[in-house]
Amino acid sequence: MTGHGSIVLIEQNCTSCMICARECPSWCITIDSHTETVVDQPAGARARTENVLDRFAIDWSLCMFCGICVDECPFDALEWATPQALPARTLTALTHEIPDLSAH
Amino acid sequence: MRWLDWYGDGSTIVVDIGLACCALEFEAATGLVPAVPGAAATVDATRLAAGGRVVVVVSGTVTDRLAPAVAAIVDAAGSYGGQRPTVVSFGACASSGGPYWDSYAVTKGVEQLVEVDVFVPGCPPPPEALAAVLDDISGRVAS
Ligand code: SF4
Ligand code: SF4
Ligand code: SF4
């Protein structure tokens, strides 16, 4: 069984929809994204844009490991993982960015 | 507040500032100490061996009302052992205010009061995390 030691981000599933960040009771998820125009559209189609994720960070010093973000993500982009989020010597080191949050 | 002789040899005296739920995990961690006589026994500061260190563990929510008392305990702990104590912030509340960071009454992390050496994530962190941090601080290899 997967433990509840940390949360991993499956980056390619994330649509930057912000639902996890808004539902997080501790407000410890930070997301930055921008929109890009979709280029390979069929001729005559209306222009479309899509979100591109720039930053996804979880502040483990604030996280209460409730799993609400994992449950609420409509795109299965967040998952529990067994390895424990490790102690750090500074508070800033407890904010983990996309590379730290990606499954190993 | 209690002083505990973590390894039973006076090398590491742990000062326990238990303020909320995380204090239960501190309590559970005392069951993980090496099985030697006197380990995790409640002592007074005179038990500190020469060259030993004092480790203050803040576990739980620090409120602005309590903040001066927490700072005073860390100061007082420094007067034993002749150096500032190692300070461990155990759990989300102690580190940043945790789920209550937005409350008017809650201190947003014990680092606003005293210098902190290690921040342990979790709400609460598992007892094993505290045992490992203390093993690390005292130069023992974490099991
Ligand atoms: S587990 Fe809970 S507190 Fe932690 S990031 Fe997810 S929603 Fe926020
Ligand atoms: S809820 Fe899921 S898809 Fe939406 S931003 Fe969060 S991780 Fe990405
Ligand atoms: S971090 Fe969580 S478990 Fe620890 S004292 Fe705060 S609310 Fe309680």
Side-chain angles (χ1 to χ4, degrees):
Chain A
M1 201 185 99
T2 307
H4 288 187
S6 54
I7 291 161
V8 296
L9 171 74
I10 299 139
E11 192 186 352
Q12 67 270 22
N13 288 2
C14 178
T15 62
S16 323
C17 71
M18 298 291 288
I19 287 175
C20 56
R22 289 205 306 256
E23 296 296 327
C24 171
S26 301
W27 290 88
C28 62
I29 300 176
T30 305
I31 296 172
D32 279 335
S33 65
H34 67 279
T35 50
E36 283 180 6
T37 306
V38 178
V39 282
D40 49 353
Q41 291 270 71
R46 198 188 308 174
R48 283 205 307 125
T49 56
E50 63 184 358
N51 291 338
V52 178
L53 186 66
D54 295 318
R55 181 179 182 214
F56 190 105
I58 296 180
D59 182 350
W60 293 120
S61 84
L62 270 176
C63 176
M64 54 195 275
F65 297 78
C66 62
I68 288 174
C69 54
V70 176
D71 286 349
E72 292 293 330
C73 174
F75 303 101
D76 292 339
L78 295 171
E79 266 179 9
W80 279 114
T82 303
Q84 198 68 35
L86 291 175
R89 297 196 178 278
T90 63
L91 266 185
T92 44
L94 282 180
T95 295
H96 285 191
E97 305 287 341
I98 291 172
D100 316 306
L101 294 171
S102 301
H104 302 297
Chain B
M1 189 192 81
R2 287 172 309 162
W3 298 65
L4 291 91
D5 183 1
W6 201 256
Y7 298 103
D9 58 4
S11 67
T12 308
I13 303 292
V14 178
V15 181
D16 160 37
I17 307 181
L19 301 169
C21 8
C22 275
L24 295 174
E25 307 302 316
F26 180 99
E27 221 50 65
T30 62
L32 301 173
V33 296
V36 297
T42 302
V43 293
D44 62 32
T46 58
R47 186 75 180 87
L48 183 65
R53 78 171 70 235
V54 178
V55 183
V56 179
V57 178
V58 183
S59 50
T61 325
V62 182
T63 57
D64 289 345
R65 190 74 189 268
L66 263 175
V70 172
I73 291 171
V74 174
D75 267 359
S79 62
Y80 302 96
Q83 54 180 346
R84 65 169 276 276
T86 306
V87 177
V88 177
S89 169
F90 187 65
C93 279
S95 293
S96 59
Y100 314 114
W101 63 267
D102 208 15
S103 161
Y104 70 94
V106 169
T107 306
K108 285 132 200 73
V110 73
E111 194 176 41
Q112 300 196 339
L113 313 170
V114 295
E115 196 178 333
V116 175
D117 297 276
V118 187
F119 297 90
V120 187
C123 177
E128 292 77 12
L130 181 60
V133 158
L134 290 169
D135 284 352
D136 187 38
I137 288 169
S138 62
R140 287 165 170 82
V141 181
S143 50

